[in-house]
Amino acid sequence: MMIVTTGDSPAEAELNRARKIAEQSGIRLVPRSRTSIPNLFPKYGASAVLIVTQGKVRLFRADQPVLEYHPSMGYVRAKRLLKGEPDPMIDAARAVEGDSVLDCTAGLGTDSLVFAVRVGPKGRVCALEASPELSVLLQEGLASYEVEKPSVTAAMRRVEVIHADHLSYLRSLPDDSFDIVYFDPMFRKPVYDLSAISPLRAFADARPLSEDAIREAVRVARKTVVLKEKKGSGEMERLGFSSDGRNHAKITYGVIPID
Ligand SMILES: C[S@@+](CC[C@H](N)C(=O)[O-])C[C@H]1O[C@@H](n2cnc3c(N)ncnc32)[C@H](O)[C@@H]1O
């Protein structure tokens, strides 16, 4: 069970935000009452604690590194895109202004943010996350985090986060309802130098992608279905993607072209 609380002596704005999260996500709001973070777990029988403080949302789990929303490489990639530089994910997806994107594995929303910058206000990015804890963290982070470039902050606000398992969600969609359907599952074996991902592992859904999900994605997509994977994982072949052939890269983007 997850609970949400604030810092000690919260300002009214912090308390309102925590209340709103509790209402929207159906999570229990508890008073902080100067309780230390480790003591919040036994006191409320919680397995995860979301702490809202000014401008920050942090997710705690006993004995795990804290997870905080941060756009990380998403901001760097967004700025490069805005300068007209290429991004291999965007190129593989053939994403252009006005496209609609269904990100089936939202995580911390780095890729969703890059898509949101590319497709702009006329486009749409919907990000699905199976973990209830991660989906709340991401929703709050994208709604409140500010970066220097206003157009990137605006792109964060446009990403729609949905707590859902992608297979069920895809099944509920009509044919041809998104231009691009994107997958970035947890790697079967972690790539240790991708450290941005490691605190996420404690919360993430680590199931392998199913052939059913890809079949549904092909039905739902109008332009491309894209898979990010570790090179040599065998997943591209197993799931019917052709790789982008970047020979030097550890990460590859596989594509199933639809149009
Ligand atoms: C490698 S991370 C994605 C990172 C993300 N692309 C980013 O840029 O931050 C994979 C995420 O997909 C989520 N996930 C795995 N299976 C899922 C499913 N069936 N439906 C929805 N989300 C899923 C995991 O919980 C995890 O957060």
Side-chain angles (χ1 to χ4, degrees), residues 72 77 89 103-113 128-131 134 138 162-168 182-187 197 200-201 203-209 213 228:
S72 62
R77 287 168 61 200
M89 176 190 80
D103 179 350
C104 287
T105 47
L108 284 186
T110 306
D111 293 329
S112 275
L113 173 61
L128 309 179
E129 176 51 58
S131 150
L134 290 178
L138 181 61
I162 300 173
H163 171 218
D165 167 67
H166 58 232
L167 178 57
S168 326
Y182 177 73
F183 295 92
D184 172 19
M186 298 303 287
F187 296 139
I197 288 292
L200 189 110
R201 288 209 154 254
F203 296 96
D205 183 334
R207 286 174 295 167
L209 274 191
K228 176 177 174 180

Side-chain angles (χ1 to χ4, degrees), residues 10-247:
E12 196 53 30
E14 258 171 83
L15 204 54
N16 285 340
R17 238 172 100 216
R19 271 195 205 111
K20 202 168 138 218
I21 296 173
E23 267 168 33
Q24 286 176 345
S25 322
I27 308 168
R28 184 174 169 205
L29 173 68
V30 304
R32 182 64 185 272
S33 316
R34 305 206 167 273
T35 315
S36 71
I37 294 169
N39 285 341
L40 285 166
F41 293 93
K43 185 167 176 183
Y44 295 101
S47 55
V49 179
L50 192 74
I51 300 195
V52 178
T53 48
Q54 233 159 4
K56 266 193 187 176
V57 199
R58 288 170 301 155
L59 184 57
F60 292 84
R61 200 164 193 170
D63 308 322
Q64 292 290 341
V66 56
L67 193 58
E68 191 175 320
Y69 173 76
H70 192 281
S72 62
M73 276 305 287
Y75 189 39
V76 177
R77 287 168 61 200
K79 284 192 289 189
R80 285 187 196 144
L81 260 192
L82 291 170
K83 279 196 245 160
E85 291 172 27
D87 181 278
M89 176 190 80
I90 295 294
D91 292 347
R94 287 190 275 128
V96 293
E97 193 185 349
D99 274 352
S100 56
V101 180
L102 182 66
D103 179 350
C104 287
T105 47
L108 284 186
T110 306
D111 293 329
S112 275
L113 173 61
V114 177
F115 275 124
V117 167
R118 166 53 110 209
V119 303
K122 291 188 191 126
R124 181 180 178 210
V125 178
C126 222
L128 309 179
E129 176 51 58
S131 150
E133 295 93 348
L134 290 178
S135 62
V136 175
L137 182 73
L138 181 61
Q139 197 150 26
E140 275 312 299
L142 288 169
S144 57
Y145 201 93
E146 305 248 344
V147 290
E148 218 174 295
K149 278 204 178 299
S151 64
V152 180
T153 304
M156 285 178 180
R157 306 292 186 265
R158 290 196 301 267
V159 175
E160 301 163 47
V161 180
I162 300 173
H163 171 218
D165 167 67
H166 58 232
L167 178 57
S168 326
Y169 196 84
L170 283 163
R171 281 185 172 142
S172 75
L173 291 173
D175 294 359
D176 306 325
S177 37
F178 279 86
D179 293 301
I180 295 158
V181 180
Y182 177 73
F183 295 92
D184 172 19
M186 298 303 287
F187 296 139
R188 301 291 84 222
K189 286 194 189 107
V191 178
Y192 288 101
D193 53 1
L194 290 180
S195 53
I197 288 292
S198 39
L200 189 110
R201 288 209 154 254
F203 296 96
D205 183 334
R207 286 174 295 167
L209 274 191
S210 69
E211 289 170 33
D212 282 351
I214 302 304
R215 210 170 298 123
E216 286 297 311
V218 166
R219 182 184 65 73
V220 164
R222 284 191 288 262
K223 196 197 293 194
T224 47
V225 178
V226 178
L227 169 63
K228 176 177 174 180
E229 253 301 339
K230 201 166 70 164
K231 196 168 172 185
S233 68
E235 289 295 271
M236 297 294 174
E237 299 74 15
R238 176 176 79 83
L239 297 163
F241 287 78
S242 51
S243 176
D244 65 1
R246 293 185 310 149
N247 287 328

